[in-house]
Amino acid sequence: MTESVRLNRGSSDVAVIGGGLVGLCIALGIQRQGQQVTVYDEGDIALRASRGNFGLVWVQGKGDNLPAYARITRLSAKLWGGLAEDLTQHTGIDIQLQQRGGLFVCLSESELNSRQQMLEKMAAEHPQGYPFDVLDLQQLRELIPEIGPEVAGATWGPEDGHVNPLYLLRALVARFESLGGKLVNAGQVSNIIPKQSQFVLQSEQGEFSCNKVVLTAGLGNKSLGPMVGIDAPVFPNRGQVLIAERVKPFLNYPTGHVRQTVEGTVQCGDSKEDVGFDTGTTTDVLAQIAHRATTMFPLLKDVNLIRSWGALRIMTPDGNPVYQQSEQYPGAYLVTCHSGVTLAAAHAGPIADWIATGIADPAIDLEKFHGSRFQL
């Protein structure tokens, strides 16, 4: 009786392994195509970046070493409004999307000059235009009067924004399930067996079969990928985050290091640490984050901190996403990136459509995201 229930529950057109933001967006997009999708999630023991990220829908500077990444980032930003509207309309959950532009605040002239040079180089690589502005301290103060006097200036990206990632995750689950999708807390998938034209997934909860399998397990893709003939050279990079108590609204635009939520709390972060699978926090890094935040906005010196955490980004050797179908086992796909929030709309749209139909959006050069680039 039990085995029969498991097999019935687990049989589906498409299996998505990993129930974070990337996996749920992919699953939702495929479900919209009329294919039955089951998401197999490891559960709360997973190293889930989806609950530890900064919530930015960020364009400026993304893809500075790969123009194709910059293009898919901008495409996703344009699609984000439609995704947010669909989620809110059908779930009643306000994911708090704001896309009024964003600022990368620089504390020195050299930092500002370096960032300007990077964005100018990117603009030269995009004939269709790559909008940004460079603001000095006075211009920045017109946007944010509370900016600190030691700040040199900022770069402005009109396509940037932010969202509440926890509400986003909740809304994606609700919308996916409302369309008939199944979410199974299967524990860790320990093996994938290609079997004729299907795949059999093995976990502590039993065996599950599917016609297609999509690996969106983040750092878990490193071990899962070779099971379907795909190399996934992903590794962890830790980011630590500080949360301050609610204060009166003062920051109408997200920045790369500090953002204010709709509720009024202040989020500070953007550390990058190669420490393996350690999700802990350290006082020295948190002190650096706090110092930069209070230099940017002196009013934060008198604000209480209420919590902190560490979370792991999923990185590739060049920092860019991988979108790949297995040549050895067609029907097996790997999707990995460290921009699960920014790329959410692209994942729920053209990337999911490609997996569901086999037809790639011409606006996305999938060859540039193939994992073979790491073997050159």
Side-chain angles (χ1 to χ4, degrees):
M1 176 78 67
T2 303
E3 284 300 315
S4 144
V5 170
R6 286 176 180 171
L7 289 173
N8 289 337
R9 179 182 64 177
S11 299
S12 56
D13 295 329
V14 183
V16 175
I17 302 178
L21 291 177
V22 175
L24 286 168
C25 286
I26 295 288
L28 175 60
I30 296 174
Q31 190 75 26
R32 284 173 175 163
Q33 291 283 348
Q35 300 179 23
Q36 180 60 46
V37 185
T38 302
V39 173
Y40 298 95
D41 189 52
E42 189 176 4
D44 288 338
I45 62 172
L47 295 168
R48 198 183 303 284
S50 300
R51 290 199 181 105
N53 66 74
F54 214 59
L56 296 179
V57 179
W58 201 256
V59 171
Q60 60 163 306
K62 288 282 183 72
D64 61 314
N65 62 344
L66 184 65
Y69 182 24
R71 286 192 291 270
I72 192 174
T73 297
R74 297 184 68 193
L75 173 63
S76 190
K78 291 177 182 178
L79 296 173
W80 241 108
L83 174 62
E85 182 179 1
D86 177 83
L87 292 175
T88 300
Q89 178 182 349
H90 291 97
T91 69
I93 300 171
D94 180 8
I95 62 174
Q96 301 176 353
L97 174 68
Q98 295 180 1
Q99 284 183 290
R100 299 187 292 235
L103 294 158
F104 190 95
V105 177
C106 299
L107 302 187
S108 67
E109 289 296 337
S110 62
E111 184 182 6
L112 184 61
N113 290 337
S114 295
R115 188 158 181 86
Q116 179 178 355
Q117 290 172 13
M118 178 193 70
L119 294 174
E120 287 174 345
K121 180 177 179 293
M122 292 184 68
E125 296 170 339
H126 296 269
Q128 75 280 14
Y130 189 86
F132 74 94
D133 285 305
V134 180
L135 310 179
D136 61 24
L137 178 56
Q138 183 55 44
Q139 292 170 313
L140 180 55
R141 186 165 284 133
E142 292 175 4
L143 292 177
I144 310 174
E146 292 82 359
I147 199 71
E150 297 179 49
V151 170
T155 57
W156 162 263
E159 299 168 315
D160 298 328
H162 60 153
V163 70
N164 186 313
L166 299 182
Y167 287 159
L168 172 59
L169 192 63
R170 178 181 166 194
L172 286 169
V173 171
R175 181 66 171 129
F176 171 64
E177 292 184 329
S178 75
L179 291 172
K182 294 182 288 185
L183 178 60
V184 178
N185 289 316
Q188 187 177 58
V189 173
S190 58
N191 197 20
I192 304 173
I193 304 172
K195 195 172 184 180
Q196 297 177 347
S197 60
Q198 288 192 321
F199 299 89
V200 176
L201 316 182
Q202 296 179 331
S203 82
E204 59 190 34
Q205 295 296 320
E207 291 189 350
F208 309 91
S209 62
C210 58
N211 299 322
K212 288 183 180 178
V213 60
V214 188
L215 308 183
T216 63
L219 294 167
N221 280 349
K222 187 176 182 66
S223 59
L224 292 172
M227 298 176 189
V228 292
I230 302 176
D231 183 35
V234 293
F235 58 90
N237 180 273
R238 185 173 69 187
Q240 297 185 43
V241 176
L242 283 169
I243 301 294
E245 64 182 331
R246 297 180 183 184
V247 297
K248 67 177 182 179
F250 74 96
L251 189 55
N252 292 323
Y253 310 97
T255 77
H257 298 86
V258 179
R259 78 179 187 99
Q260 187 171 28
T261 68
V262 171
E263 294 81 11
T265 56
V266 181
Q267 188 172 5
C268 313
D270 197 42
S271 68
K272 297 178 175 63
E273 306 165 79
D274 295 323
V275 292
F277 290 87
D278 183 355
T279 60
T281 59
T282 59
T283 54
D284 58 336
V285 171
L286 292 177
Q288 292 170 14
I289 292 171
H291 175 72
R292 184 173 186 112
T294 54
T295 301
M296 290 169 59
F297 304 106
L299 67 87
L300 295 178
K301 292 179 180 179
D302 299 320
V303 173
N304 293 316
L305 296 174
I306 55 177
R307 64 182 180 274
S308 64
W309 66 78
L312 301 180
R313 302 178 182 89
I314 298 91
M315 299 299 295
T316 61
D318 61 5
N320 299 316
V322 175
Y323 303 121
Q324 182 176 341
Q325 180 176 196
S326 173
E327 296 178 7
Q328 185 177 1
Y329 302 108
Y333 297 80
L334 183 140
V335 175
T336 188
C337 72
H338 75 276
S339 299
V341 175
T342 299
L343 294 175
H347 290 159
I351 296 299
D353 293 344
W354 161 62
I355 294 171
T357 68
I359 301 173
D361 188 322
I364 301 173
D365 190 352
L366 285 175
E367 287 300 315
K368 293 292 194 300
F369 299 105
H370 197 283
S372 61
R373 69 183 187 267
F374 303 123
Q375 301 167 6
L376 299 178

